[in-house]
Amino acid sequence: MSIGVGIAGHALEMAEPILVADVTKHPWFVKSAQVSEFTSLLVAPLIGSGKDEKFGTLSVHSKEKAAFSRDDEITLVSLAQQGALAIQNARSSAEWRAHGGVMKRIIDEVRLWDVSLAESKLCKQIAQSAVKVLGFRAARIRLRDLITDDLVTAATAGIPEEDAYVLT
């Protein structure tokens, strides 16, 4: 099935639950070999917090005609909303885990920083970490001068010292 096809596809497309007393009389019903025989159907869309985050649908089936009530619909919609949030969180977590190698390297680098050092030396460590983690040739940290409000080079990595403070 796809969005806009069948009862479930329409529920997802419209972002609304659909309660059907007798599917055999519904114009959107598409018989599927994957599901055993049923007569009534209640479908709720699984939609994330973003407008375009349509994950799928949650449905319940019954062989009994008109088996579901409005209270059942409210309950299923609530379950679908919580389910969509769980799916959204799981997908976000999976994305985070996919970047976990990078995150681990960042955390490992941060642990090496000696925050007891003078600001200029700490900035040097941060710039070196940026080069190491990101794999680029050079990095620079500029800090805001509290008197002039200018951004001033505080530290560099991967740049010869004689060129480091000439950068604009």
Side-chain angles (χ1 to χ4, degrees):
M1 294 288 166
S2 44
I3 295 178
V5 176
I7 296 170
H10 278 88
L12 188 57
E13 180 180 56
M14 298 181 313
E16 293 289 332
I18 298 177
L19 174 60
V20 180
D22 186 349
V23 294
T24 62
K25 295 180 178 158
H26 198 283
W28 293 337
F29 178 65
V30 177
K31 189 169 180 158
S32 171
Q34 297 170 340
V35 180
S36 61
E37 294 293 318
F38 61 94
T39 304
S40 54
L41 173 68
L42 175 56
V43 182
L46 293 162
I47 299 176
S49 60
K51 195 165 81 173
D52 295 325
E53 292 181 299
K54 295 180 177 182
F55 300 124
T57 60
L58 175 60
S59 60
V60 288
H61 315 92
S62 177
K63 291 182 179 184
E64 190 179 313
K65 189 175 183 178
F68 306 110
S69 67
R70 291 289 173 202
D71 285 343
D72 295 329
E73 182 178 339
I74 291 167
T75 301
L76 191 68
V77 166
S78 295
L79 284 169
Q81 289 170 338
Q82 293 304 310
L85 288 174
I87 291 167
Q88 186 172 5
N89 289 338
R91 287 185 178 181
S92 294
S93 179
E95 288 173 18
W96 190 85
R97 281 193 305 273
H99 291 95
V102 172
M103 294 304 296
K104 182 180 180 329
R105 288 195 320 249
I106 291 169
I107 291 167
D108 289 346
E109 280 298 311
V110 170
R111 286 184 182 147
L112 295 175
W113 295 345
D114 183 353
V115 295
S116 67
L117 293 176
E119 184 178 88
S120 61
K121 290 186 180 193
L122 178 60
C123 286
K124 183 75 171 178
Q125 285 183 337
I126 296 168
Q128 289 168 336
S129 293
V131 168
K132 185 175 176 183
V133 170
L134 292 169
F136 292 115
R137 183 183 68 79
R140 169 174 53 180
I141 293 182
R142 292 180 179 171
L143 297 178
R144 184 174 62 93
D145 183 295
L146 298 176
I147 297 169
T148 65
D149 220 26
D150 293 334
L151 287 175
V152 179
T153 298
T156 61
I159 300 170
E161 285 297 318
E162 61 272 9
D163 297 336
Y165 296 94
V166 183
L167 296 172
T168 56

